[in-house]
Amino acid sequence: MTPAHLPHTVGPRDWAALILLTVLWGSAFAFIKHGVETLPPGAMIFVRLGLAATILTAWAHARGHRLPPLTDRRWLWMAGLGLFGNALPFFLVSWAQQYIDSALAGILVATMPLATVGLAHVFVPGERMTLRAVLGLLVGFSGVILLLGPSALAGLGGADTLAQLAVIGAAVCYAVNAIQARLLPETRPSVSAAGMLIMATLFALPIGIWDLMRVEAVAPTAWAAAAWLAIGPTALASVVLMQVARTAGPNFLAIANYLTPIAALLTGLVIGEMIGWPAVVALAVILAGVWLARSGTSSTSPP
């Protein structure tokens, strides 16, 4: 039995990695918002993924970790990770936000943990669905609605239904990605993350090149935003994601989707935005939901 199949109990190291992941993802929203003002979404995604893939591939090689040969079946897994974890959801959310508010998009993406619980129950041994865990996720989801504004739900349905379905599709993509990362054959996190981003870059290549050919003037700060998105929320976050998914499991990883709005809110506070009492109450509800979800886990998860 390899270490990847031994039982694993979630501990402080897993929580620290999850918090790092949520900080990286949560801080990304402000940089994306600034970058796409002069850099089209397709170009932003392509530059972000391409630079992140280059950084991780170089880092893995510097540590003596080589990518598998092209005949290795793990490339099929990494293609799935790149498609469902990066290229497809990035595009779906970027396209949808041309038609719906970011608050509604945030609420719809927050359905990801609910989808993960269902998929993990079916496909991942040891990740059993319990009533208390589902209740915790529902409480956390209600906290996200409170945080982002219940009024955002007024736009649910209607003329922008296709855009809303696209965001839900992105949430399902992230859930599928969490399951794939857990079931990936034994691979170093740096190697799997690099391979995932290489494949994601290839998927993003056509629309990325098209957008770059049409762009006229890009602000230097937009390029700087794309660089940070590649280094932090993509390259570093991908390694952390692969590690957490393989050790603590997809259901634990899914909690990041509820904690990320908190990180985004705190990022806004740092740049001068105000946080009112409703937001504080919403944060308390989210954390209560996370506690319920984790205490409702039926067993320790075998990585």
Side-chain angles (χ1 to χ4, degrees), residues 59-76:
W59 181 60
H61 274 255
R63 301 182 66 201
H65 303 157
R66 297 293 181 264
L67 293 170
L70 294 180
T71 55
D72 194 307
R73 68 186 181 94
R74 285 177 294 176
W75 278 108
L76 294 176

Side-chain angles (χ1 to χ4, degrees), residues 6 12 37 62 65 107 121 143 152 156 161 166 171 184 187 198 201 209 212 218 239 262-263 270 290 303:
L6 294 174
E37 290 179 356
H65 303 157
I107 290 172
H121 180 80
L156 202 59
T161 300
L184 174 73
T187 309
I198 289 172
T201 302
I209 294 297
L212 286 173
V218 179
V239 175
I262 298 178
V270 170
V290 169

Side-chain angles (χ1 to χ4, degrees), residues 58-197:
W59 181 60
H61 274 255
R63 301 182 66 201
H65 303 157
R66 297 293 181 264
L67 293 170
L70 294 180
T71 55
D72 194 307
R73 68 186 181 94
R74 285 177 294 176
W75 278 108
L76 294 176
W77 282 90
M78 290 187 288
L81 289 167
L83 178 63
F84 290 104
N86 295 280
L88 184 55
F90 283 7
F91 175 77
L92 288 173
V93 172
S94 298
W95 175 82
Q97 285 199 260
Q98 298 177 91
Y99 306 99
I100 62 176
D101 293 337
S102 59
L104 179 57
I107 290 172
L108 294 174
V109 169
T111 58
M112 177 266 192
L114 300 173
T116 303
V117 166
L119 290 172
H121 180 80
V122 175
F123 294 107
V124 182
E127 295 281 338
R128 312 306 299 170
M129 186 187 300
T130 67
L131 181 60
R132 186 165 182 174
V134 174
L135 176 61
L137 292 174
L138 290 173
V139 170
F141 181 64
S142 67
V144 172
I145 294 175
L146 287 173
L147 181 64
L148 299 179
S151 61
L153 292 177
L156 202 59
D160 299 324
T161 300
L162 189 59
Q164 295 170 30
L165 291 175
V167 179
I168 294 174
V172 174
C173 285
Y174 286 131
V176 171
N177 186 64
I179 304 299
Q180 288 182 132
R182 178 59 175 270
L183 299 177
L184 174 73
E186 185 66 29
T187 309
R188 293 182 182 274
S190 59
V191 172
S192 58
M196 172 182 72
L197 291 175

Side-chain angles (χ1 to χ4, degrees), residues 32 35-52 87 90-91 94-95 200-201 203-218 222-223 225-227 229-230 234:
I32 292 172
V36 295
E37 290 179 356
T38 56
L39 190 61
M44 169 72 81
I45 292 169
F46 175 64
V47 171
R48 175 182 178 180
L49 290 173
L51 181 56
F90 283 7
F91 175 77
S94 298
W95 175 82
T201 302
F203 288 127
L205 178 64
I207 190 171
I209 294 297
W210 173 256
D211 275 351
L212 286 173
M213 289 174 62
R214 295 186 304 134
V215 72
E216 295 182 358
V218 179
W223 292 118
L229 287 168
T234 307

Side-chain angles (χ1 to χ4, degrees), residues 244-271:
V244 173
R246 288 193 61 79
T247 56
N251 283 342
F252 179 76
L253 177 63
I255 291 174
N257 221 60
Y258 287 165
L259 297 179
T260 296
I262 298 178
L265 195 71
L266 294 177
T267 301
L269 182 62
V270 170
I271 63 176

